[in-house]
Every structure is written in structure tokens, then in C-alpha cells.
Amino acid sequence: MNYNWNWRIFFEPSPEGTGTYADMLLSGLSWTIATALCSWIIAFSLGSLIGVLRTLPSRGAQRVGTTYVELFRNIPLLVQMFLWFYVVPEILPGSWGTWLKQLPNSSFYTAVICLGFFTASRVAEQVRTGIETLPRGQRMAGTALGLTTWQTYRYVLLPNAYRVILPPLTSEFLNNLKNTSVALTIGLLELTARARSMQEFSSQVFESFTAATVIYLGISLIVVTVSSKLETRIAVPGSR
Amino acid sequence: MSAIDPQASAKPMIAIDNISKWYGPVQVLNGCTTQVTKGEVVVVCGPSGSGKSTLIKTVNALEPIQKGAITVDGIGVQAKGTNLPKLRARVGMVFQHFELFPHLSIIDNLMLGQCKVLGRAKDDAHDRGLKLLGRVGLSAHSHKYPGQLSGGQQQRVAIARALSMNPIVMLFDEPTSALDPEMVGEVLDVMIELAREGMTMMVVTHEMGFARKVANRVVFMDRGEIVEDATKDDFFDKPRSERAQTFLSKILAH
Amino acid sequence: MFTDFDFGVVLSSLPYLFGTGMVFTLTLTALAASGGIILGTIIAMMRLSGITALALPAKIYVNFMRSLPLVLVIFWFYFLVPYIGQWMTGASRPISVGAFTSALVTFTLFEAAFFSEIMRAGIQAIPKGQTAAAQAIGLTYGQTMRTVILPQAFRNMLPLLLTQTIVLFQDTSLVYVISLTDFLGAASKVAQRDGRLVEMYLFAAAVYLVICITASTLVRRLQRRVAIIR
């Protein structure tokens, strides 16, 4: 293979003039992490709410939940990204739209909201499954004690459901983190985008992508380790 | 007022008046009427699928009904203005599969309703919880989790949890049928003691020994109907319906 | 707000959107799904072979692919495939293979990791007795797999394989990052050319929504039928 390897490229200054190529990748990494964490907060809370809606006895609530999930699962993430970035500011009332477009770091906020709403539909499905796998009697026992519906979810159903769905929820967290790379299409300078610009500036294709790959693998490893530690910690004594 | 037994002059704690219930096209309860007076122990029995578990769950509105009315301590369960959580808090319920909350320790299981529904202070709820655990003989287990206890122990905790709300009446839905045979006795003992202390109880069970020992009345159900509603002695000595006779001969045979 | 909407733009670009864009999207989806399922099945069999030399590389491959963002993998192969081509053909320079081939290779290899997990679960769910029974009548390992285990696993897993194909259909929109003209790429080009982003992206979203909801409804119906037959 006639390719000129140059692993020292990372320590050479990037043409942006603010540091080395390594610094460039690290800055990308921090945007990736920031986007992933902020969008996860939305995804987790909104997803839990939607998931709960789908398990309520009320037909109306179920329909709202189902519609949300169907809507956000059946449009490609990239299209959703474009809708939030290009379309939403246009169809908002004039002054709001202008404000949105002029917001500094608007691609970051857009990515956070887009990923948050997108991943929420997937979290919702996990939460719903988790609640549905609990014995039906658990809800009855809470209700029979006089707990309100909200209290039954808060103190009985959700604490158990989250324990059940921790492993698939970890996968969704990682999917959300990987999906931050889609935001490079709206100009977010996250890790993949930075690896791509490093490749363009330096022509060292494989070094750039190898570095990004290793970083993604490292994050996955850390998240999976933390999650299994968490699983042991929150495991209920006496349960299988 | 329909079919009120003239002898039952005391105020009914639970009055079930001509109720019917359907699951879609299938009728599961058909014109059921009975009542439980204060201090009375009523055993509900019948073959499986007879609707007895559904009937007892209608008393605290865990199962909705489509026709008829139920009152508990004079309050209409289906009435528009009724605060159901408040009503349910005064009706203790024990389930076939215990339904302890697996993520909470035993003492926390006993405190949850006291703190969140009755608004008791933590210390107070904790003390009462421990006292009740003592009553069911499980003081030493207060910090364990449900998964660490045997079935019989879990069901005793479930009874204590229901009692922690100071209920005016207790509902038992087949409390011993999910237990291994050697654990049935310990649970029945707790229930017998409770009956002797004067607790008003409605008990769905196949344990005819328990019925003979403490029941005042026996309600026999079949195919969603109350076939017989008699005093204990009448039911065991001279059951009127053929269905009750068949049921008794089967269940007493082993 | 909606007053200056111009759906004439959408209407006049329909032949381009579907004739070029959607044809590309569906071709890529169909080819990558077939390739991915075949390769995924092979990987699944490797993982379940009980031979470490086969199982370990298969496991590493699957976990590796599943840890990386698809966008990064698309970039990787876009630059890597010419070198692979050079190596395979013994040419003296990296050979240019075209963006479509590169995308096809990417999606086939990437989705194979996901299809293999489905097939692995499907094969594992077939009772051990089936293998025993097949071998008892004298079938070899290969024959057992081909005639007894895989047909059952495929049928049971068909709904999941199709659901994953719907995901793949949505994922193909990411070829946008290497400037290919799939359905979204076509919509995007018209949108930029005519300055009609709102109309074009809303229309694209609606088309994806209708196709995916229809497809997943059909899959659910199939799932119910499979469940009854079983």
C-alpha cells in the first residue's frame, strides 16, 4: 500500500492556528460529550413521560404517546436534523425565527433538541416495555394502598422499571452519543467533523479516522463499565 | 333498597348492591348482592373462574363495574365526588402474590403508604411499622428485602403493610393459594388472630378450615353469580344449591 | 407563516426526487439488506460455531461496528475502499470505485453486524432437539444448518430482519455526507437550488414517514401471522 503514514501528525499545529491536530480532536470530543449529555437529559425525561403515557389506562394519553413514538421513529434522524435547523426557524413567528437563527452555537442547541426528541421516542419504548413487564399486581398494590396514579408511578412502578431496562437504556445512551455525529451536517464541530477536517487539512486520512475510532471505542468501553457497576449497585438484594 | 337481609340490622361496612361487570362481551359478574357488617368475617368461595377475585377487587374499585353500586362505610365507591385514594387507604388489601414492592426494604414497604398517603412523620411511621412487624413475628427482618424472605413471610409482611394504614376493613384475595403448603399455616394464624380481635374481613379463599374456625358467613359464587349467602353453619351443614354441594364435596375430599 | 408556501416546487421536482433519488435509496437499501443478511448470517454462525478462531473475530467485528457512528464508518470506507480495491486487484495505485460502490460496501458491512445479532438470537432460539434430530437421521453439520436450523430461524426472525431493514432504509439518508444523490440528497439539491428549504424538507419528511409507517404496519401484520403459525 503506497500510503505515507505519519503518526506524529497529531502533534503538528493545525491550520486553524489555535493548537495541534490533537487539540482539534479533543475540542471535537468535548462537543460530542456536551451534546450527548444535554440531549440525553431531554431524551430521558421526555422519553419517560411518553413511555408512562403509553401505559396509562386513558385512551387519549396512550394515543398521544403512540403518535409521538411513531412520528419520531419513522423519519430519518438526518431529516429531523434539517427540519429543526432549516425549517423550524422559518415557520416560527418572525421575530422568534430571527432570534433562533442568530443564536450563537445554534447548531449545538439544534443538535441537542433534535437528538433529545429523537432519542426520547426510543427511551419511551424501553420505559413502556419496562413497566409492562412488571407484574400487574404491583400497580394494584400501590393503588390499593391509596397512592395516587402519580405516586404509584413515582414510588412503585418507575423505580422497578428503570432497574429492568438499565441494559437497553445503556445502549440507547450510546446510540445517542454516536448519533451526535449526524449533527456535523448542520455544522456542529463534534468529533467526527473534526476528524474529517483534520483529514482534509493534513491528507492523513487513516490517522485521523483511527484516532476518532479509538476515542469512540474508549467512550463505549467506559460507558459500558460504568453501567454494569451501576447495575450492581442498584440491584435489589434477593432479586435474581 | 333491594334484598337486604332482615337479620342484618347492624350498619353494613361493605354493601354490594346488585352489581354486574363485563369484560367486553363477556359477563364476569351478574347481579351480585351481599354485605359485610362491622366486625364480621365473610368468606367468599367458589370454583376458579367464578368471579370471586373480581368481586373483591370491585370493593376498592381496583376493578370497575358497569351496573349496580357499592358503598364502604356509607361512602359510594362509584359516586362522582368520592376521593378514591382516600377511600382505598381505609380499606386494607392482601393479594394472592403478595405484591410487596421489591425495591424497598420490608420496613420501607410498611412506611410508604403511611408517609405518602396518610402523611405521617417518618419516625412515627417507622415505629408503627416495627410494632406491626412484631405482631406478625418478623421484627428481625425489617431491613431485609422482599426477595430475601419466604413466601409465607412475605405474605405476613403484606398483611402488616395493609394494617399499617389503620384500615376499617380488610380484603384478602386468595392470600394462601400461591404459598407452598407448609407456609399456609403461618399466614392463616395471623388472619385468625386478626379476626378474633374484631377486624371486619372479607376473604376469598379455598381454606374451609379457616372458614369453619372464624367466618360468620360464607358467600358461594359460581359463574359470576352469588349462588349462596348463608351463615357458616348453614353453609357447611345444609347447603341448599346443588352447585355448592358439589363444590364442598370436592374441596373437602382432600 | 404558511402563506408563502410553494408546493409547485415540490410538484415540478417529483420526477427527479423519485426517478433519481428514491430509486437510488431503494436500490441501496435492497442491495445492502440482502448482502447484510447473508454476511450477518455467516457471522452469526461463526459466533455460534464454538470454535474460538471463528467466534472471537466475529464477536470483535460485531462489537467494533456497533461502537462506531455510522457517519464515521461511511467516511472510513469512502477513503478505504479504493485501497482495498488496489490490494484485491494488485493494481499499482488506489483504484477509484465510485461513491455508490463505496456506500454499498459500507452499509453491507455495517448492517451485517446488526443483522448478525438478530440471526444469532434466531438460531439460539431453535430448540437443541432440532439439531439432535437432524443429526440423528444422518445429516452433516452443513446440511443441518441449511435445511433445518436456518430456515426456521429465518422465518421466526423475518419480522425483526424487516424492521432492521426499515432502519437501514432511514440510515441510507446519511450518504448525504459523501454528497450522493439519494432521496434526501435530491430533495436537498432542489431545496438549495430554488431556495425552498421549508417545502422540500417537509415533503421529504412526509415521504419517509408514510413509507416507514406503512412498512412497519405490514411487518406487524406479518409478525402476528408468524406468531399464530408457530
Side-chain angles (χ1 to χ4, degrees):
Chain A
M1 225 162 82
N2 49 355
Y3 177 81
N4 296 316
W5 293 94
N6 176 14
W7 288 104
R8 268 172 308 183
I9 183 76
F10 297 110
F11 305 105
E12 289 171 20
S14 78
E16 288 184 331
T18 48
T20 61
Y21 281 114
D23 293 330
M24 201 165 120
L25 290 180
L26 286 180
S27 125
L29 173 62
S30 49
W31 279 112
T32 291
I33 292 175
T35 312
L37 291 182
C38 294
S39 56
W40 181 253
I41 293 171
I42 298 178
F44 184 77
S45 27
L46 183 61
S48 299
L49 177 74
I50 303 284
V52 165
L53 282 184
R54 294 195 75 180
T55 63
L56 288 174
S58 146
R59 281 278 167 81
Q62 288 177 16
R63 209 165 297 146
V64 171
T66 310
T67 307
Y68 182 94
V69 171
E70 292 294 321
L71 189 63
F72 283 87
R73 271 212 318 196
N74 286 308
I75 298 176
L77 176 59
L78 180 56
V79 177
Q80 294 189 31
M81 204 61 93
F82 286 169
L83 288 182
W84 287 105
F85 194 69
Y86 297 116
V87 177
V88 168
E90 297 299 332
I91 59 177
L92 280 176
S95 56
W96 290 28
T98 323
W99 174 78
L100 252 181
K101 276 185 265 184
Q102 289 166 349
L103 209 62
N105 292 328
S106 68
S107 60
F108 169 70
Y109 296 114
T110 308
V112 165
I113 291 178
C114 176
L115 286 167
F117 278 65
F118 175 79
T119 308
S121 69
R122 313 181 59 107
V123 171
E125 282 301 90
Q126 302 297 350
V127 169
R128 176 176 73 104
T129 316
I131 293 173
E132 281 174 357
T133 53
L134 301 178
R136 217 170 78 92
Q138 285 284 301
R139 182 196 295 268
M140 283 199 175
T143 311
L145 263 187
L147 297 175
T148 60
T149 305
W150 155 246
Q151 285 174 322
T152 307
Y153 274 94
R154 163 73 183 78
Y155 298 110
V156 179
L157 299 178
L158 285 176
N160 284 304
Y162 284 135
R163 282 183 170 83
V164 176
I165 62 170
L166 183 63
L169 226 42
T170 306
S171 306
E172 289 307 340
F173 180 85
L174 282 172
N175 284 338
N176 183 59
L177 187 130
K178 289 183 282 169
N179 281 336
T180 56
S181 62
V182 175
L184 67 82
T185 57
I186 57 166
L188 182 70
L189 297 176
E190 46 69 62
L191 182 54
T192 303
R194 298 313 255 167
R196 174 94 167 108
S197 16
M198 174 174 168
Q199 167 260 318
E200 274 179 346
F201 292 143
S202 70
S203 300
Q204 299 302 129
V205 186
F206 298 128
E207 291 86 341
S208 321
F209 291 153
T210 303
T213 300
V214 168
I215 296 175
Y216 280 116
L217 290 179
I219 300 177
S220 288
L221 205 65
I222 293 170
V223 171
V224 169
T225 313
V226 169
S227 164
S228 66
K229 285 245 165 67
L230 185 65
E231 202 176 343
T232 329
R233 256 194 61 184
I234 63 169
V236 172
S239 65
R240 283 128 293 160
Chain B
M1 294 287 271
S2 60
I4 290 263
D5 195 330
Q7 299 151 327
S9 51
K11 186 176 107 187
M13 188 63 93
I14 301 173
I16 298 175
D17 184 14
N18 198 20
I19 65 166
S20 296
K21 176 182 174 66
W22 287 263
Y23 283 124
V26 185
Q27 183 159 18
V28 286
L29 292 178
N30 183 5
C32 297
T33 300
T34 188
Q35 60 243 266
V36 182
T37 46
K38 196 169 187 308
E40 203 177 21
V41 175
V42 172
V43 163
V44 182
C45 62
S48 60
S50 59
K52 52 195 193 306
S53 274
T54 309
L55 179 76
I56 201 169
K57 285 190 188 114
T58 62
V59 173
N60 57 354
L62 289 183
E63 294 281 4
I65 56 173
Q66 281 80 42
K67 262 177 70 184
I70 301 172
T71 60
V72 173
D73 198 25
I75 300 166
V77 174
Q78 283 76 30
K80 276 255 149 53
T82 300
N83 182 338
L84 273 180
K86 219 171 195 173
L87 180 74
R88 285 172 177 141
R90 300 171 68 205
V91 178
M93 184 153 201
V94 176
F95 296 86
Q96 182 178 1
H97 295 285
F98 334 133
E99 304 301 349
L100 294 179
F101 304 132
H103 62 300
L104 299 179
S105 67
I106 300 305
I107 188 69
D108 286 340
N109 262 279
L110 267 66
M111 289 167 63
L112 182 68
Q114 295 190 63
C115 295
K116 301 299 168 194
V117 179
L118 303 180
R120 281 184 189 149
K122 281 206 160 173
D123 294 349
D124 186 21
H126 190 265
D127 291 348
R128 287 173 194 254
L130 277 186
K131 236 171 257 165
L132 283 166
L133 279 181
R135 250 179 88 179
V136 299
L138 292 169
S139 303
H141 300 279
S142 70
H143 288 287
K144 288 191 180 165
Y145 283 79
Q148 297 169 306
L149 301 187
S150 72
Q153 290 172 324
Q154 289 192 52
Q155 195 60 300
R156 279 145 68 197
V157 173
I159 295 173
R161 179 176 70 180
L163 291 175
S164 75
M165 307 293 285
N166 297 90
I168 52 172
V169 54
M170 288 279 285
L171 308 175
F172 293 82
D173 182 13
E174 306 208 31
T176 56
S177 51
L179 294 175
D180 291 337
E182 73 271 20
M183 293 171 183
V184 171
E186 60 186 87
V187 172
L188 288 181
D189 286 347
V190 172
M191 291 168 61
I192 290 168
E193 199 190 311
L194 206 56
R196 298 217 162 116
E197 285 166 12
M199 175 60 80
T200 311
M201 293 162 64
M202 187 168 175
V203 185
V204 173
T205 186
H206 290 297
E207 295 293 334
M208 290 302 122
F210 171 81
R212 273 189 197 282
K213 217 174 265 174
V214 294
N216 300 99
R217 278 189 14 258
V218 178
V219 169
F220 173 73
M221 290 185 73
D222 192 20
R223 291 176 222 151
E225 291 173 9
I226 292 182
V227 179
E228 218 150 317
D229 185 346
T231 64
K232 170 181 61 181
D233 295 335
D234 282 353
F235 180 75
F236 284 113
D237 300 341
K238 40 188 181 209
R240 279 169 301 168
S241 67
E242 203 176 307
R243 283 189 272 181
Q245 286 163 14
T246 322
F247 175 76
L248 274 176
S249 66
K250 269 188 196 153
I251 207 150
L252 296 178
H254 57 249
Chain C
M1 229 174 100
F2 280 95
T3 44
D4 52 352
F5 250 51
D6 178 11
F7 277 109
V9 176
V10 175
L11 224 54
S12 63
S13 57
L14 281 182
Y16 175 61
L17 288 180
F18 285 91
T20 307
M22 190 51 88
V23 166
F24 179 98
T25 296
L26 290 176
T27 313
L28 181 57
T29 305
L31 292 178
S34 328
I37 290 175
I38 294 170
L39 185 59
T41 306
I42 296 171
I43 295 171
M45 284 164 59
M46 285 169 70
R47 282 195 77 171
L48 295 171
S49 65
I51 304 164
T52 315
L54 293 177
L56 190 64
K59 186 179 171 189
I60 291 173
Y61 178 82
V62 170
N63 288 335
F64 182 75
M65 279 300 184
R66 299 209 315 164
S67 305
L68 296 183
L70 179 51
V71 177
L72 180 64
V73 179
I74 292 173
F75 284 143
W76 253 121
F77 281 102
Y78 185 66
F79 294 100
L80 196 59
V81 168
Y83 286 93
I84 299 176
Q86 177 197 9
W87 172 71
M88 285 192 350
T89 58
S92 56
R93 322 187 52 217
I95 57 170
S96 113
V97 290
F100 179 78
T101 314
S102 147
L104 181 58
V105 171
T106 309
F107 280 94
T108 305
L109 293 178
F110 186 77
E111 298 293 336
F114 293 83
F115 283 123
S116 86
E117 287 294 273
I118 297 173
M119 285 311 293
R120 184 165 71 112
I123 296 171
Q124 278 178 321
I126 306 294
K128 291 264 180 298
Q130 290 287 308
T131 313
Q135 286 171 342
I137 60 168
L139 296 182
T140 63
Y141 173 79
Q143 287 170 324
T144 304
M145 270 294 170
R146 230 179 16 255
T147 60
V148 178
I149 306 298
L150 288 182
Q152 295 188 57
F154 265 121
R155 220 194 53 185
N156 297 344
M157 289 293 128
L158 192 58
L160 283 180
L161 293 171
L162 290 175
T163 303
Q164 184 62 33
T165 305
I166 297 174
V167 173
L168 166 62
F169 171 72
Q170 294 191 26
D171 280 349
T172 55
S173 62
L174 289 173
V175 296
Y176 176 89
V177 301
I178 49 173
S179 308
L180 279 172
T181 309
D182 71 323
F183 180 69
L184 179 64
S188 178
K189 276 180 189 155
V190 176
Q192 310 283 351
R193 185 194 67 199
D194 297 350
R196 288 289 172 187
L197 278 72
V198 175
E199 290 87 344
M200 294 312 289
Y201 287 142
L202 280 177
F203 178 69
V207 170
Y208 277 111
L209 188 66
V210 168
I211 293 178
C212 293
I213 287 189
T214 311
S216 47
T217 310
L218 292 177
V219 170
R220 261 198 295 268
R221 212 170 284 170
L222 177 78
Q223 196 164 20
R224 237 171 280 146
R225 269 185 41 195
V226 171
I228 291 168
I229 296 167
R230 226 188 305 173

